[in-house]
Amino acid sequence: MRKERSGRFLRGHFLRNTSWEGEEKRQRRSTATGEVDLYFSPFIQVVLLGACPYPTMSLLADWLLRHSVVMCLLLHSLVLMTFCFHHAATSCSKNCYCSGSESGDKTVRCSNLQLTEIPKDIPNDTRRVYLDFNQFTTVPANAFSGLPHLVELDLSHNELSQLEPGAFRGLGSLQFLDLSSNKLVNFNPESFEGLQARANLTNNPWHCDCNLQMAMPRVGLEPTSLTGIVCQTSDPEEKGVQGLAFLLVPDVDLCVVMKRTTDVAMLVVMFGWFTMVISYLVYYVRANQEDARRHLEYLKSLPSKQGKSEESSTISTVV
């Protein structure tokens, strides 16, 4: 038996001349799009999302359709933006090689690329960065502040001669820093601000002086790291620390000359103050000498009390 029914079904549009046929399987065919929907039960009406077989619900279906399209577009835009931001945050730096481990640790290798500036597009989820064998001459302040998860940083075999204050600021998780085989001469504790890590400071032409000696207790590097500071030059030279690891040289005080200079300066200042006080006293005495002489003459011109007392005693005796 075949029964045909015509109706209007809403599925993004009105369906016309829709037919139902078969006892165990029915199909609905749309003359507008040619789409075919299969229904396996002759007693159950299956309504797809956005389809309504009742004319009284057409307005509700239309409202749902419109808002569904808007929500779908918004969701698509959100997913696209999230993907873009994630890609920007996790993409590899230009010309560098990136790799990851099973634990999720990302490594960025920019070795031997003749770079002259620290890359600024290193992904912020990087754990290890290798910048060795390049041509860096300085590390600017906050050069790695966007890498809070960094645990290893290799800057060896470059042309580094200056580390600006705050060069490694923000690397609270750093565990190892390699600055070997560069041209570092002066040790600036402000460059290692907030850094508590093990460092390789060997093969640099360090200049050992009083400033270096006073700076060592102010850094948070592991004490063994400072043994890599081998003195190529020193001040004063007669201390004989050239070619030696300064931290391991016993009983060496490079601040003796500075202390002596400070003592001499203090003596000179004290002598100057003393001379100024004496000069002021001499000037004061000379300026008031005439007034002092007149005052002294006035005092001499006054009758003596002792003379009066003798005269009174003589009169009383005669009486």
Side-chain angles (χ1 to χ4, degrees), residues 6 23 48 50 61 90 106 120 126 133 185 225 230 233 242 267 269 279 297:
S6 62
E23 292 294 332
L48 299 179
T90 59
K106 175 174 285 187
K120 299 181 180 180
T126 303
F133 292 97
V185 177
S225 302
V230 178
T233 57
Q242 288 88 346
L267 290 175
V269 172
S279 301
E297 290 179 355

Side-chain angles (χ1 to χ4, degrees), residues 86-290:
H86 178 74
H87 178 74
T90 59
S91 60
C92 190
S93 180
K94 184 179 179 181
N95 298 327
C96 298
Y97 171 74
C98 295
S99 61
S101 63
E102 296 180 356
S103 59
D105 293 349
K106 175 174 285 187
T107 300
V108 177
R109 295 184 180 275
C110 304
S111 305
N112 200 17
L113 294 178
Q114 307 300 317
L115 300 178
T116 58
E117 295 182 354
I118 304 295
K120 299 181 180 180
D121 57 348
I122 299 176
N124 55 16
D125 60 343
T126 303
R127 301 276 290 176
R128 293 175 175 81
V129 174
Y130 296 93
L131 298 168
D132 50 320
F133 292 97
N134 284 288
Q135 298 179 357
F136 304 126
T137 58
T138 182
V139 178
N142 302 312
F144 304 98
S145 59
L147 304 174
H149 306 292
L150 199 66
V151 296
E152 183 177 351
L153 176 60
D154 189 350
L155 289 166
S156 63
H157 298 89
N158 279 280
E159 303 293 327
L160 292 176
S161 60
Q162 182 183 8
L163 302 176
E164 295 185 3
F168 305 106
R169 185 181 295 127
L171 298 181
S173 300
L174 194 68
Q175 299 177 5
F176 180 71
L177 172 64
D178 194 346
L179 292 171
S180 62
S181 301
N182 280 284
K183 297 182 179 180
L184 298 174
V185 177
N186 299 315
F187 187 86
N188 186 2
E190 296 180 356
S191 302
F192 303 91
E193 174 188 348
L195 194 63
Q196 297 180 349
R198 180 170 55 91
N200 185 359
L201 303 173
T202 59
N203 296 326
N204 283 283
W206 294 108
H207 176 71
C208 297
D209 56 2
C210 183
N211 292 328
L212 183 142
Q213 181 176 338
M214 297 177 63
M216 281 188 172
R218 297 167 51 190
V219 297
L221 296 176
E222 290 187 4
T224 55
S225 302
L226 300 178
T227 59
I229 299 179
V230 178
C231 305
Q232 180 169 322
T233 57
S234 65
D235 184 23
E237 296 182 357
E238 59 269 15
K239 288 297 181 179
V241 296
Q242 288 88 346
L244 302 177
F246 177 75
L247 191 66
L248 301 180
V249 178
D251 302 328
V252 174
D253 189 0
L254 298 180
C255 296
V256 173
V257 176
M258 181 176 292
K259 292 177 181 177
R260 291 177 180 175
T261 304
T262 303
D263 294 340
V264 172
M266 291 181 63
L267 290 175
V268 171
V269 172
M270 292 178 63
F271 179 77
W273 278 100
F274 180 76
T275 303
M276 185 177 65
V277 171
I278 296 299
S279 301
Y280 176 77
L281 291 176
V282 172
Y283 170 79
Y284 180 81
V285 171
R286 288 182 178 181
N288 295 278
Q289 187 175 7
E290 185 66 22

Side-chain angles (χ1 to χ4, degrees), residues 40-52:
F40 294 90
S41 174
F43 305 103
I44 300 177
Q45 293 184 352
V46 179
V47 181
L48 299 179
L49 181 62
C52 178

Side-chain angles (χ1 to χ4, degrees), residues 282-311:
V282 172
Y283 170 79
Y284 180 81
V285 171
R286 288 182 178 181
N288 295 278
Q289 187 175 7
E290 185 66 22
D291 293 339
R293 186 182 63 79
R294 292 178 181 179
H295 183 68
L296 183 60
E297 290 179 355
Y298 173 76
L299 292 177
K300 290 180 178 180
S301 64
L302 294 176
S304 176
K305 294 183 178 180
Q306 184 177 0
K308 292 183 178 181
S309 61
E310 290 178 355
E311 291 178 358

